[in-house]
Amino acid sequence: MRPHAKAAVLAAGTAAGLFVALLLGTVASEETPELSPAGGALDAAQVPAEYRKWVLKAAETCDAVSAPLIAAQIHQESGWNPDAVSPVGARGLSQFMPGTWDSWGVDADGDGRADPYSPPDAIMSQARYDCYLASQVDHLGGDQTQLMLAAYNAGPGAVLQYSGIPPYPETQHYVQVITDLIEQYTAAEDAPEAGGGPVGSRIVAAARRWEGTPYAWGGGSVTGPGPGTGHGAGTVGFDCSSLVQHAVYQATGGRITLPRTSQLQATEGKAVARGDLRPGDLIAFQMRSPSYDHIAIYAGSGQIIHAPGTGKVVRLEPLATYDAKPQTIRRIS
């Protein structure tokens, strides 16, 4: 979620020109291609049924957006919670700040008012705003989708100032996570097959969404972070096995629910050799006992994504850090 970026967009004196751009036709496209650079066909099973129609409709707004991109943004912004409110007041599925909503909110559901808590209004306004941002950065070199996402998070002024993604850790993380999530929401026949294939890529993306989330022993589930128990009481987050369970469940659209403990997860799927390691594979470790008491997800490029332990957060880490520990690799399909 963006703590301040959308409100900052209007501070640079651009508000008066926003609707002019639309009237001149610089945002809307008369003809939308079947596929766009921001993603392919939507994997509808990944999107809550009540929102699918609007995600698909939003993808018709302009060439710069696709249904998987719209879905990936919502996933990261609000976790598909239409009542979400950030600590700084961003609201609804698409997490609009009030000032930005005043300029970009539309009444998509026809109830007579533009409401950021209305999913149709939020989704269509998000696409409309995305298209405007794309028009502001399309003259810059580089990945246009990533530049648009950076502008959504940090404001187009920051992207223009740096002629690219600004050097803000929050914005860089936002762009990377959504870029990964686009694969999760892309239909299998169109999803990139590199590394572990579509399911493996989606497992990694689903886990990376929660980077920075606290470790909470006994906390977390298939639906997301949760309050810990025992020595994890008072912390809301994931432990190692609940992060894996959540990522696999989300990546497979609920088709696969792993057992809750790392010891049992280490027996799921099929065993694979270290030489065949692919993104999305599960790596279980014997850290302090003869049982597999820790588990992580291989993220590619020699990295794992995991919830390491009490006092730490979900993070990427070199697999080599744990090479001294006995381990087993399992592939979930």
Side-chain angles (χ1 to χ4, degrees), residues 203-235:
I203 291 172
V204 173
R208 290 202 62 185
R209 178 197 172 198
W210 299 104
E211 284 182 76
T213 300
Y215 178 94
W217 191 86
S221 69
V222 295
T223 61
T229 60
H231 60 268
T235 302

Side-chain angles (χ1 to χ4, degrees), residues 75-130:
H75 183 135
Q76 174 64 11
E77 292 288 349
S78 64
W80 298 101
N81 177 8
D83 300 316
V85 179
S86 80
V88 295
R91 301 173 295 174
L93 280 180
S94 303
Q95 289 291 278
F96 274 94
M97 291 295 290
T100 311
W101 180 261
D102 289 344
S103 292
W104 290 100
V106 297
D107 175 20
D109 58 14
D111 67 354
R113 66 191 185 102
D115 180 4
Y117 295 109
S118 160
D121 293 2
I123 293 169
M124 296 306 294
S125 299
Q126 173 189 331
R128 184 168 175 255
Y129 187 54
D130 276 344

